[in-house]
Structure formats: C-alpha cells, structure tokens
Amino acid sequence: MNTEYEEFENIEDLFMYMSAAAPPMKNTIPINSYKGNVMSFIPLSPSTGESYLMLYAKGELEAGIYEFDISSKLYKKVESVERADKVYFVSLTPKRNTIADKALQSL
C-alpha cells in the first residue's frame, strides 16, 4: 500500500479543504478520529486500492455530527443535519483501522 499525506495545521483547515473538494450537493462527509488524528482517506487508485491520500490534522473529535460553516471556519457538534448551506462531517472513532495504522507508521 502506498500512502501520500497532506497534513493540516488544525481541524478547521482540514474541514475547509474537504468542504471545497466535496462533490456538489453532497454536504455530509465521513471522517475518522483515531489515535490523536482527525483523518480521511481518498483512494488515488480506486480500481486497485493500492494508493491513498491521507488528509489529516492532529486532534480528536467525539463521535457525532459536526456542522461546519465555511465563511467563518467554525465547527460545532450538532444533533442532526439540518441546513443546506452548511457542510456536515460525521465523525467516527473506529476500534481498529488497518489502513490508518499502516499510514501512521510511515509518518
């Protein structure tokens, strides 16, 4: 497995990047909070699964839904997805993530 990395200064910058890269009309994006990092993996070679881009920032988030406002670069935990003008991140904390474990070893 080959992993490329893009590290962000903080969670807000990670959310800003992911909000800009999300497909139009998709305002809910899954992320992982795992071993002191908030991260997302993007397959660079979807057909083989050999290469990934790991987007990450140091930090942790509780499991749940986070509403992100692009204009203010602020996020907050919310109970549900309600507004079309916001981007939502669903934070999950896996018990084990083998792709992340392997990628974190290479940092």
Side-chain angles (χ1 to χ4, degrees):
M1 181 179 87
N2 178 41
T3 306
E4 299 294 329
Y5 301 91
E6 192 157 347
E7 181 179 4
F8 292 88
E9 186 70 30
N10 52 51
I11 295 171
E12 293 84 356
D13 288 346
L14 172 65
F15 282 0
M16 181 67 79
Y17 178 92
M18 292 183 67
S19 297
M25 302 304 292
K26 181 175 179 168
N27 67 344
T28 305
I29 304 167
I31 57 170
N32 285 335
S33 183
Y34 186 69
K35 294 189 176 181
N37 295 285
V38 176
M39 63 183 76
S40 181
F41 287 91
I42 298 172
L44 296 176
S45 55
S47 60
T48 64
E50 287 295 317
S51 296
Y52 293 91
L53 173 61
M54 178 179 159
L55 304 167
Y56 74 101
K58 300 285 184 196
E60 294 184 18
L61 292 174
E62 292 179 21
I65 302 169
Y66 289 84
E67 180 182 270
F68 180 66
D69 179 33
I70 295 172
S71 61
S72 67
K73 280 183 64 174
L74 296 174
Y75 66 90
K76 65 180 177 181
K77 191 170 182 184
V78 295
E79 295 299 316
S80 62
V81 174
E82 295 179 353
R83 298 181 52 176
D85 64 329
K86 305 289 183 191
V87 178
Y88 293 88
F89 292 89
V90 179
S91 177
L92 305 168
T93 304
K95 182 176 179 179
R96 186 164 185 218
N97 184 331
T98 58
I99 293 174
D101 287 335
K102 194 166 209 170
L104 291 169
Q105 287 176 351
S106 299
L107 283 176

